[in-house]
Amino acid sequence: MGVVNVTPDSFSDGGLYADTESAVAHGRQLLLDGADILDIGGESTRPGATRPLVREELDRVVPVISTLAADGAVVSVDTMRAEVAAAALEAGATIVNDVSGGLADPEILDVVAATGATYVAMHWRAHADRMQDLASYDGPGGVVEAVRAELAERVTAIRAAGISDDRVVLDPGLGFAKGAAHNWELVAGLDRLAELGFPLLVGASRKSFLGRLLADAGGDPRPVDEREAAGLALTVLLAQRGVWCVRVHDVRANRDVLDVLDRLALETGAGTTPTKESP
């Protein structure tokens, strides 16, 4: 899944693709680089970000989605708003990637249920301006068990809205109401989340916990655009553990990694893809 941020303030590439023309060009390049899905978003969810108006978000994403979908791309809309999801699906998107899992706008579940789209539900506790205040996981089993339980609650709501299990993907929400240690615990505990029975989408690309791991001698985190190698190492791990999809910025490098793994799998008889059929 290649990231297309049609925003002025996303943490990694905010402003680079903030207009329709540059966003479409970027999406087309990601397809050439090997993306299976383009994830198009018009709202930054970096820690501390403020929300755009609904009209702003619509104006950012709908023209990009309609153009890339017309090109034949599989398009996901990265939104928490029912109104934006509905417009995006009408424009040609087939996946709704909701970082709030339906908590920010419960009506988004009704939109998905009525259209037959795939729904990605991420673990989420609050909007970007206060989510890190809720990064506390002191119960039994720590962050892994808390995320598992809270995702299971979202699955109950998703089913109640009429979305069938074969259209659902779950995301542990690395970096969302999580400290660096929480993110590493979640990566290590993905098998526990997979026990819920749904494909997993993981978005670790260029996130701050990688920057902190690679901090310099003075303790300053590695800059955002210098974290790619660490992300590629994670892609290897995630693919070998059967994760359905990785959400990344540098599609070409990640595709190269997956091509190597697939080639080696031919020699060993091992697979790198999930056993559960993908939505």
Side-chain angles (χ1 to χ4, degrees), residues 153-189:
E153 291 175 357
R154 300 319 306 149
V155 168
T156 298
I158 290 164
R159 287 170 170 164
I163 303 171
S164 58
D165 284 6
D166 62 348
R167 293 160 51 198
V168 177
V169 175
L170 300 180
D171 181 340
L174 300 183
F176 289 77
K178 317 285 191 310
H182 297 139
N183 294 322
W184 290 113
E185 290 173 38
L186 281 169
V187 170

PDB file of all heavy atoms in Angstrom, residues 153-189:
ATOM      1  N   GLU A 153     -13.604  -5.160  20.232  1.00  0.00           N
ATOM      2  CA  GLU A 153     -14.807  -4.339  20.422  1.00  0.00           C
ATOM      3  C   GLU A 153     -15.214  -3.668  19.109  1.00  0.00           C
ATOM      4  O   GLU A 153     -16.409  -3.563  18.800  1.00  0.00           O
ATOM      5  CB  GLU A 153     -14.548  -3.274  21.492  1.00  0.00           C
ATOM      6  CG  GLU A 153     -14.395  -3.821  22.894  1.00  0.00           C
ATOM      7  CD  GLU A 153     -14.027  -2.743  23.897  1.00  0.00           C
ATOM      8  OE1 GLU A 153     -13.843  -1.575  23.479  1.00  0.00           O
ATOM      9  OE2 GLU A 153     -13.902  -3.065  25.090  1.00  0.00           O
ATOM     10  N   ARG A 154     -14.224  -3.223  18.344  1.00  0.00           N
ATOM     11  CA  ARG A 154     -14.547  -2.605  17.061  1.00  0.00           C
ATOM     12  C   ARG A 154     -15.134  -3.631  16.086  1.00  0.00           C
ATOM     13  O   ARG A 154     -16.017  -3.314  15.289  1.00  0.00           O
ATOM     14  CB  ARG A 154     -13.304  -1.949  16.440  1.00  0.00           C
ATOM     15  CG  ARG A 154     -12.661  -0.860  17.268  1.00  0.00           C
ATOM     16  CD  ARG A 154     -13.675   0.060  17.943  1.00  0.00           C
ATOM     17  NE  ARG A 154     -14.616   0.640  16.997  1.00  0.00           N
ATOM     18  CZ  ARG A 154     -15.878   0.956  17.290  1.00  0.00           C
ATOM     19  NH1 ARG A 154     -16.365   0.734  18.498  1.00  0.00           N
ATOM     20  NH2 ARG A 154     -16.651   1.496  16.375  1.00  0.00           N
ATOM     21  N   VAL A 155     -14.631  -4.846  16.142  1.00  0.00           N
ATOM     22  CA  VAL A 155     -15.179  -5.898  15.285  1.00  0.00           C
ATOM     23  C   VAL A 155     -16.655  -6.123  15.603  1.00  0.00           C
ATOM     24  O   VAL A 155     -17.481  -6.297  14.698  1.00  0.00           O
ATOM     25  CB  VAL A 155     -14.373  -7.204  15.445  1.00  0.00           C
ATOM     26  CG1 VAL A 155     -15.111  -8.374  14.799  1.00  0.00           C
ATOM     27  CG2 VAL A 155     -12.985  -7.056  14.833  1.00  0.00           C
ATOM     28  N   THR A 156     -17.007  -6.084  16.874  1.00  0.00           N
ATOM     29  CA  THR A 156     -18.412  -6.239  17.261  1.00  0.00           C
ATOM     30  C   THR A 156     -19.271  -5.143  16.637  1.00  0.00           C
ATOM     31  O   THR A 156     -20.350  -5.407  16.096  1.00  0.00           O
ATOM     32  CB  THR A 156     -18.549  -6.210  18.794  1.00  0.00           C
ATOM     33  OG1 THR A 156     -17.815  -7.319  19.348  1.00  0.00           O
ATOM     34  CG2 THR A 156     -20.007  -6.309  19.217  1.00  0.00           C
ATOM     35  N   ALA A 157     -18.785  -3.912  16.690  1.00  0.00           N
ATOM     36  CA  ALA A 157     -19.527  -2.791  16.094  1.00  0.00           C
ATOM     37  C   ALA A 157     -19.592  -2.909  14.574  1.00  0.00           C
ATOM     38  O   ALA A 157     -20.619  -2.598  13.957  1.00  0.00           O
ATOM     39  CB  ALA A 157     -18.875  -1.470  16.495  1.00  0.00           C
ATOM     40  N   ILE A 158     -18.503  -3.340  13.966  1.00  0.00           N
ATOM     41  CA  ILE A 158     -18.452  -3.497  12.514  1.00  0.00           C
ATOM     42  C   ILE A 158     -19.464  -4.547  12.060  1.00  0.00           C
ATOM     43  O   ILE A 158     -20.212  -4.351  11.093  1.00  0.00           O
ATOM     44  CB  ILE A 158     -17.021  -3.873  12.084  1.00  0.00           C
ATOM     45  CG1 ILE A 158     -16.083  -2.674  12.279  1.00  0.00           C
ATOM     46  CG2 ILE A 158     -16.978  -4.359  10.639  1.00  0.00           C
ATOM     47  CD1 ILE A 158     -14.612  -3.035  12.243  1.00  0.00           C
ATOM     48  N   ARG A 159     -19.502  -5.657  12.760  1.00  0.00           N
ATOM     49  CA  ARG A 159     -20.471  -6.702  12.418  1.00  0.00           C
ATOM     50  C   ARG A 159     -21.906  -6.214  12.615  1.00  0.00           C
ATOM     51  O   ARG A 159     -22.782  -6.499  11.790  1.00  0.00           O
ATOM     52  CB  ARG A 159     -20.212  -7.930  13.276  1.00  0.00           C
ATOM     53  CG  ARG A 159     -18.960  -8.706  12.882  1.00  0.00           C
ATOM     54  CD  ARG A 159     -18.624  -9.765  13.910  1.00  0.00           C
ATOM     55  NE  ARG A 159     -17.574 -10.668  13.450  1.00  0.00           N
ATOM     56  CZ  ARG A 159     -16.882 -11.473  14.251  1.00  0.00           C
ATOM     57  NH1 ARG A 159     -17.128 -11.474  15.565  1.00  0.00           N
ATOM     58  NH2 ARG A 159     -15.952 -12.268  13.757  1.00  0.00           N
ATOM     59  N   ALA A 160     -22.123  -5.477  13.682  1.00  0.00           N
ATOM     60  CA  ALA A 160     -23.474  -4.972  13.955  1.00  0.00           C
ATOM     61  C   ALA A 160     -23.953  -4.026  12.861  1.00  0.00           C
ATOM     62  O   ALA A 160     -25.162  -3.922  12.601  1.00  0.00           O
ATOM     63  CB  ALA A 160     -23.495  -4.267  15.314  1.00  0.00           C
ATOM     64  N   ALA A 161     -23.014  -3.345  12.213  1.00  0.00           N
ATOM     65  CA  ALA A 161     -23.378  -2.432  11.127  1.00  0.00           C
ATOM     66  C   ALA A 161     -23.696  -3.172   9.834  1.00  0.00           C
ATOM     67  O   ALA A 161     -24.192  -2.564   8.886  1.00  0.00           O
ATOM     68  CB  ALA A 161     -22.245  -1.439  10.886  1.00  0.00           C
ATOM     69  N   GLY A 162     -23.380  -4.457   9.786  1.00  0.00           N
ATOM     70  CA  GLY A 162     -23.680  -5.244   8.606  1.00  0.00           C
ATOM     71  C   GLY A 162     -22.522  -5.471   7.668  1.00  0.00           C
ATOM     72  O   GLY A 162     -22.713  -5.879   6.525  1.00  0.00           O
ATOM     73  N   ILE A 163     -21.304  -5.233   8.135  1.00  0.00           N
ATOM     74  CA  ILE A 163     -20.115  -5.478   7.325  1.00  0.00           C
ATOM     75  C   ILE A 163     -19.640  -6.901   7.600  1.00  0.00           C
ATOM     76  O   ILE A 163     -19.367  -7.263   8.745  1.00  0.00           O
ATOM     77  CB  ILE A 163     -19.000  -4.461   7.653  1.00  0.00           C
ATOM     78  CG1 ILE A 163     -19.496  -3.031   7.441  1.00  0.00           C
ATOM     79  CG2 ILE A 163     -17.760  -4.734   6.798  1.00  0.00           C
ATOM     80  CD1 ILE A 163     -18.541  -1.964   7.946  1.00  0.00           C
ATOM     81  N   SER A 164     -19.547  -7.703   6.560  1.00  0.00           N
ATOM     82  CA  SER A 164     -19.168  -9.100   6.736  1.00  0.00           C
ATOM     83  C   SER A 164     -17.682  -9.237   7.038  1.00  0.00           C
ATOM     84  O   SER A 164     -16.862  -8.398   6.640  1.00  0.00           O
ATOM     85  CB  SER A 164     -19.526  -9.915   5.490  1.00  0.00           C
ATOM     86  OG  SER A 164     -18.887  -9.388   4.346  1.00  0.00           O
ATOM     87  N   ASP A 165     -17.321 -10.308   7.719  1.00  0.00           N
ATOM     88  CA  ASP A 165     -15.938 -10.519   8.142  1.00  0.00           C
ATOM     89  C   ASP A 165     -14.961 -10.550   6.979  1.00  0.00           C
ATOM     90  O   ASP A 165     -13.795 -10.139   7.123  1.00  0.00           O
ATOM     91  CB  ASP A 165     -15.816 -11.832   8.915  1.00  0.00           C
ATOM     92  CG  ASP A 165     -16.365 -11.740  10.333  1.00  0.00           C
ATOM     93  OD1 ASP A 165     -16.954 -10.694  10.683  1.00  0.00           O
ATOM     94  OD2 ASP A 165     -16.215 -12.728  11.087  1.00  0.00           O
ATOM     95  N   ASP A 166     -15.409 -11.029   5.820  1.00  0.00           N
ATOM     96  CA  ASP A 166     -14.489 -11.141   4.690  1.00  0.00           C
ATOM     97  C   ASP A 166     -14.145  -9.801   4.056  1.00  0.00           C
ATOM     98  O   ASP A 166     -13.348  -9.736   3.116  1.00  0.00           O
ATOM     99  CB  ASP A 166     -15.039 -12.099   3.641  1.00  0.00           C
ATOM    100  CG  ASP A 166     -16.359 -11.641   3.041  1.00  0.00           C
ATOM    101  OD1 ASP A 166     -16.971 -10.698   3.581  1.00  0.00           O
ATOM    102  OD2 ASP A 166     -16.782 -12.238   2.032  1.00  0.00           O
ATOM    103  N   ARG A 167     -14.726  -8.729   4.585  1.00  0.00           N
ATOM    104  CA  ARG A 167     -14.425  -7.379   4.087  1.00  0.00           C
ATOM    105  C   ARG A 167     -13.662  -6.560   5.122  1.00  0.00           C
ATOM    106  O   ARG A 167     -13.519  -5.342   4.962  1.00  0.00           O
ATOM    107  CB  ARG A 167     -15.727  -6.658   3.725  1.00  0.00           C
ATOM    108  CG  ARG A 167     -16.462  -7.268   2.541  1.00  0.00           C
ATOM    109  CD  ARG A 167     -17.916  -6.858   2.513  1.00  0.00           C
ATOM    110  NE  ARG A 167     -18.087  -5.417   2.620  1.00  0.00           N
ATOM    111  CZ  ARG A 167     -19.242  -4.827   2.956  1.00  0.00           C
ATOM    112  NH1 ARG A 167     -20.299  -5.560   3.227  1.00  0.00           N
ATOM    113  NH2 ARG A 167     -19.302  -3.514   3.019  1.00  0.00           N
ATOM    114  N   VAL A 168     -13.149  -7.199   6.161  1.00  0.00           N
ATOM    115  CA  VAL A 168     -12.544  -6.472   7.278  1.00  0.00           C
ATOM    116  C   VAL A 168     -11.055  -6.770   7.392  1.00  0.00           C
ATOM    117  O   VAL A 168     -10.624  -7.922   7.294  1.00  0.00           O
ATOM    118  CB  VAL A 168     -13.251  -6.821   8.602  1.00  0.00           C
ATOM    119  CG1 VAL A 168     -12.576  -6.110   9.787  1.00  0.00           C
ATOM    120  CG2 VAL A 168     -14.735  -6.453   8.530  1.00  0.00           C
ATOM    121  N   VAL A 169     -10.290  -5.715   7.604  1.00  0.00           N
ATOM    122  CA  VAL A 169      -8.854  -5.782   7.887  1.00  0.00           C
ATOM    123  C   VAL A 169      -8.613  -4.999   9.170  1.00  0.00           C
ATOM    124  O   VAL A 169      -9.256  -3.975   9.406  1.00  0.00           O
ATOM    125  CB  VAL A 169      -8.032  -5.165   6.727  1.00  0.00           C
ATOM    126  CG1 VAL A 169      -6.541  -5.125   7.073  1.00  0.00           C
ATOM    127  CG2 VAL A 169      -8.273  -5.920   5.429  1.00  0.00           C
ATOM    128  N   LEU A 170      -7.699  -5.478  10.009  1.00  0.00           N
ATOM    129  CA  LEU A 170      -7.379  -4.791  11.260  1.00  0.00           C
ATOM    130  C   LEU A 170      -5.956  -4.239  11.218  1.00  0.00           C
ATOM    131  O   LEU A 170      -5.076  -4.802  10.560  1.00  0.00           O
ATOM    132  CB  LEU A 170      -7.539  -5.733  12.451  1.00  0.00           C
ATOM    133  CG  LEU A 170      -8.930  -6.331  12.663  1.00  0.00           C
ATOM    134  CD1 LEU A 170      -8.929  -7.245  13.887  1.00  0.00           C
ATOM    135  CD2 LEU A 170      -9.986  -5.245  12.808  1.00  0.00           C
ATOM    136  N   ASP A 171      -5.746  -3.143  11.947  1.00  0.00           N
ATOM    137  CA  ASP A 171      -4.456  -2.444  11.985  1.00  0.00           C
ATOM    138  C   ASP A 171      -4.148  -2.125  13.446  1.00  0.00           C
ATOM    139  O   ASP A 171      -4.970  -1.516  14.131  1.00  0.00           O
ATOM    140  CB  ASP A 171      -4.578  -1.158  11.152  1.00  0.00           C
ATOM    141  CG  ASP A 171      -3.295  -0.336  11.087  1.00  0.00           C
ATOM    142  OD1 ASP A 171      -2.417  -0.511  11.948  1.00  0.00           O
ATOM    143  OD2 ASP A 171      -3.190   0.510  10.175  1.00  0.00           O
ATOM    144  N   PRO A 172      -2.971  -2.530  13.959  1.00  0.00           N
ATOM    145  CA  PRO A 172      -2.651  -2.275  15.368  1.00  0.00           C
ATOM    146  C   PRO A 172      -2.423  -0.804  15.700  1.00  0.00           C
ATOM    147  O   PRO A 172      -2.361  -0.438  16.875  1.00  0.00           O
ATOM    148  CB  PRO A 172      -1.380  -3.085  15.600  1.00  0.00           C
ATOM    149  CG  PRO A 172      -0.758  -3.213  14.243  1.00  0.00           C
ATOM    150  CD  PRO A 172      -1.914  -3.296  13.285  1.00  0.00           C
ATOM    151  N   GLY A 173      -2.280   0.054  14.705  1.00  0.00           N
ATOM    152  CA  GLY A 173      -2.167   1.484  14.969  1.00  0.00           C
ATOM    153  C   GLY A 173      -0.841   1.903  15.576  1.00  0.00           C
ATOM    154  O   GLY A 173      -0.807   2.659  16.557  1.00  0.00           O
ATOM    155  N   LEU A 174       0.256   1.464  14.986  1.00  0.00           N
ATOM    156  CA  LEU A 174       1.570   1.872  15.492  1.00  0.00           C
ATOM    157  C   LEU A 174       1.671   3.386  15.489  1.00  0.00           C
ATOM    158  O   LEU A 174       1.369   4.047  14.503  1.00  0.00           O
ATOM    159  CB  LEU A 174       2.675   1.278  14.619  1.00  0.00           C
ATOM    160  CG  LEU A 174       2.741  -0.251  14.515  1.00  0.00           C
ATOM    161  CD1 LEU A 174       3.946  -0.656  13.678  1.00  0.00           C
ATOM    162  CD2 LEU A 174       2.794  -0.903  15.885  1.00  0.00           C
ATOM    163  N   GLY A 175       2.084   3.943  16.620  1.00  0.00           N
ATOM    164  CA  GLY A 175       2.270   5.382  16.743  1.00  0.00           C
ATOM    165  C   GLY A 175       1.047   6.158  17.176  1.00  0.00           C
ATOM    166  O   GLY A 175       1.155   7.339  17.506  1.00  0.00           O
ATOM    167  N   PHE A 176      -0.108   5.523  17.195  1.00  0.00           N
ATOM    168  CA  PHE A 176      -1.340   6.204  17.588  1.00  0.00           C
ATOM    169  C   PHE A 176      -1.660   5.870  19.041  1.00  0.00           C
ATOM    170  O   PHE A 176      -2.033   4.738  19.355  1.00  0.00           O
ATOM    171  CB  PHE A 176      -2.508   5.778  16.690  1.00  0.00           C
ATOM    172  CG  PHE A 176      -2.427   6.308  15.290  1.00  0.00           C
ATOM    173  CD1 PHE A 176      -1.566   5.739  14.362  1.00  0.00           C
ATOM    174  CD2 PHE A 176      -3.218   7.376  14.895  1.00  0.00           C
ATOM    175  CE1 PHE A 176      -1.494   6.213  13.062  1.00  0.00           C
ATOM    176  CE2 PHE A 176      -3.153   7.866  13.592  1.00  0.00           C
ATOM    177  CZ  PHE A 176      -2.279   7.288  12.683  1.00  0.00           C
ATOM    178  N   ALA A 177      -1.513   6.863  19.916  1.00  0.00           N
ATOM    179  CA  ALA A 177      -1.665   6.636  21.358  1.00  0.00           C
ATOM    180  C   ALA A 177      -0.727   5.512  21.807  1.00  0.00           C
ATOM    181  O   ALA A 177      -1.082   4.659  22.611  1.00  0.00           O
ATOM    182  CB  ALA A 177      -3.112   6.313  21.724  1.00  0.00           C
ATOM    183  N   LYS A 178       0.491   5.547  21.286  1.00  0.00           N
ATOM    184  CA  LYS A 178       1.507   4.546  21.622  1.00  0.00           C
ATOM    185  C   LYS A 178       2.847   5.239  21.818  1.00  0.00           C
ATOM    186  O   LYS A 178       3.204   6.144  21.055  1.00  0.00           O
ATOM    187  CB  LYS A 178       1.685   3.516  20.495  1.00  0.00           C
ATOM    188  CG  LYS A 178       0.440   2.976  19.829  1.00  0.00           C
ATOM    189  CD  LYS A 178      -0.324   1.991  20.626  1.00  0.00           C
ATOM    190  CE  LYS A 178      -1.405   1.279  19.825  1.00  0.00           C
ATOM    191  NZ  LYS A 178      -2.309   2.135  19.039  1.00  0.00           N
ATOM    192  N   GLY A 179       3.579   4.817  22.824  1.00  0.00           N
ATOM    193  CA  GLY A 179       4.968   5.224  22.944  1.00  0.00           C
ATOM    194  C   GLY A 179       5.842   4.287  22.137  1.00  0.00           C
ATOM    195  O   GLY A 179       5.378   3.264  21.619  1.00  0.00           O
ATOM    196  N   ALA A 180       7.137   4.610  22.032  1.00  0.00           N
ATOM    197  CA  ALA A 180       8.039   3.789  21.225  1.00  0.00           C
ATOM    198  C   ALA A 180       8.061   2.339  21.701  1.00  0.00           C
ATOM    199  O   ALA A 180       7.985   1.407  20.894  1.00  0.00           O
ATOM    200  CB  ALA A 180       9.446   4.385  21.256  1.00  0.00           C
ATOM    201  N   ALA A 181       8.132   2.131  23.012  1.00  0.00           N
ATOM    202  CA  ALA A 181       8.173   0.763  23.537  1.00  0.00           C
ATOM    203  C   ALA A 181       6.893   0.010  23.207  1.00  0.00           C
ATOM    204  O   ALA A 181       6.916  -1.191  22.919  1.00  0.00           O
ATOM    205  CB  ALA A 181       8.403   0.788  25.048  1.00  0.00           C
ATOM    206  N   HIS A 182       5.753   0.703  23.247  1.00  0.00           N
ATOM    207  CA  HIS A 182       4.478   0.060  22.897  1.00  0.00           C
ATOM    208  C   HIS A 182       4.505  -0.450  21.457  1.00  0.00           C
ATOM    209  O   HIS A 182       4.006  -1.545  21.168  1.00  0.00           O
ATOM    210  CB  HIS A 182       3.324   1.054  23.049  1.00  0.00           C
ATOM    211  CG  HIS A 182       3.111   1.540  24.436  1.00  0.00           C
ATOM    212  ND1 HIS A 182       2.810   2.853  24.734  1.00  0.00           N
ATOM    213  CD2 HIS A 182       3.160   0.890  25.634  1.00  0.00           C
ATOM    214  CE1 HIS A 182       2.673   2.994  26.027  1.00  0.00           C
ATOM    215  NE2 HIS A 182       2.889   1.826  26.601  1.00  0.00           N
ATOM    216  N   ASN A 183       5.070   0.337  20.551  1.00  0.00           N
ATOM    217  CA  ASN A 183       5.121  -0.072  19.155  1.00  0.00           C
ATOM    218  C   ASN A 183       5.939  -1.345  18.977  1.00  0.00           C
ATOM    219  O   ASN A 183       5.539  -2.257  18.242  1.00  0.00           O
ATOM    220  CB  ASN A 183       5.713   1.048  18.297  1.00  0.00           C
ATOM    221  CG  ASN A 183       4.827   2.279  18.257  1.00  0.00           C
ATOM    222  OD1 ASN A 183       3.618   2.181  18.209  1.00  0.00           O
ATOM    223  ND2 ASN A 183       5.451   3.439  18.281  1.00  0.00           N
ATOM    224  N   TRP A 184       7.064  -1.418  19.642  1.00  0.00           N
ATOM    225  CA  TRP A 184       7.888  -2.626  19.525  1.00  0.00           C
ATOM    226  C   TRP A 184       7.179  -3.831  20.131  1.00  0.00           C
ATOM    227  O   TRP A 184       7.247  -4.944  19.586  1.00  0.00           O
ATOM    228  CB  TRP A 184       9.247  -2.404  20.205  1.00  0.00           C
ATOM    229  CG  TRP A 184      10.119  -1.446  19.457  1.00  0.00           C
ATOM    230  CD1 TRP A 184      10.523  -0.207  19.852  1.00  0.00           C
ATOM    231  CD2 TRP A 184      10.675  -1.641  18.155  1.00  0.00           C
ATOM    232  NE1 TRP A 184      11.293   0.382  18.884  1.00  0.00           N
ATOM    233  CE2 TRP A 184      11.401  -0.467  17.835  1.00  0.00           C
ATOM    234  CE3 TRP A 184      10.624  -2.682  17.229  1.00  0.00           C
ATOM    235  CZ2 TRP A 184      12.090  -0.325  16.625  1.00  0.00           C
ATOM    236  CZ3 TRP A 184      11.303  -2.534  16.019  1.00  0.00           C
ATOM    237  CH2 TRP A 184      12.017  -1.370  15.734  1.00  0.00           C
ATOM    238  N   GLU A 185       6.484  -3.632  21.238  1.00  0.00           N
ATOM    239  CA  GLU A 185       5.736  -4.740  21.838  1.00  0.00           C
ATOM    240  C   GLU A 185       4.638  -5.235  20.904  1.00  0.00           C
ATOM    241  O   GLU A 185       4.386  -6.446  20.799  1.00  0.00           O
ATOM    242  CB  GLU A 185       5.133  -4.298  23.170  1.00  0.00           C
ATOM    243  CG  GLU A 185       6.158  -4.080  24.280  1.00  0.00           C
ATOM    244  CD  GLU A 185       5.526  -3.467  25.531  1.00  0.00           C
ATOM    245  OE1 GLU A 185       4.394  -3.847  25.866  1.00  0.00           O
ATOM    246  OE2 GLU A 185       6.174  -2.594  26.144  1.00  0.00           O
ATOM    247  N   LEU A 186       3.985  -4.310  20.204  1.00  0.00           N
ATOM    248  CA  LEU A 186       2.937  -4.702  19.268  1.00  0.00           C
ATOM    249  C   LEU A 186       3.502  -5.474  18.085  1.00  0.00           C
ATOM    250  O   LEU A 186       2.921  -6.479  17.644  1.00  0.00           O
ATOM    251  CB  LEU A 186       2.174  -3.470  18.777  1.00  0.00           C
ATOM    252  CG  LEU A 186       1.131  -2.914  19.736  1.00  0.00           C
ATOM    253  CD1 LEU A 186       0.643  -1.555  19.265  1.00  0.00           C
ATOM    254  CD2 LEU A 186      -0.053  -3.873  19.869  1.00  0.00           C
ATOM    255  N   VAL A 187       4.619  -5.015  17.549  1.00  0.00           N
ATOM    256  CA  VAL A 187       5.237  -5.744  16.440  1.00  0.00           C
ATOM    257  C   VAL A 187       5.592  -7.161  16.879  1.00  0.00           C
ATOM    258  O   VAL A 187       5.343  -8.140  16.157  1.00  0.00           O
ATOM    259  CB  VAL A 187       6.484  -5.001  15.921  1.00  0.00           C
ATOM    260  CG1 VAL A 187       7.251  -5.873  14.934  1.00  0.00           C
ATOM    261  CG2 VAL A 187       6.084  -3.686  15.259  1.00  0.00           C
ATOM    262  N   ALA A 188       6.134  -7.281  18.080  1.00  0.00           N
ATOM    263  CA  ALA A 188       6.500  -8.602  18.590  1.00  0.00           C
ATOM    264  C   ALA A 188       5.269  -9.460  18.880  1.00  0.00           C
ATOM    265  O   ALA A 188       5.345 -10.687  18.830  1.00  0.00           O
ATOM    266  CB  ALA A 188       7.343  -8.454  19.859  1.00  0.00           C
ATOM    267  N   GLY A 189       4.142  -8.814  19.168  1.00  0.00           N
ATOM    268  CA  GLY A 189       2.941  -9.546  19.565  1.00  0.00           C
ATOM    269  C   GLY A 189       1.886  -9.650  18.484  1.00  0.00           C
ATOM    270  O   GLY A 189       0.712  -9.898  18.789  1.00  0.00           O
TER     271      GLY A 189
END
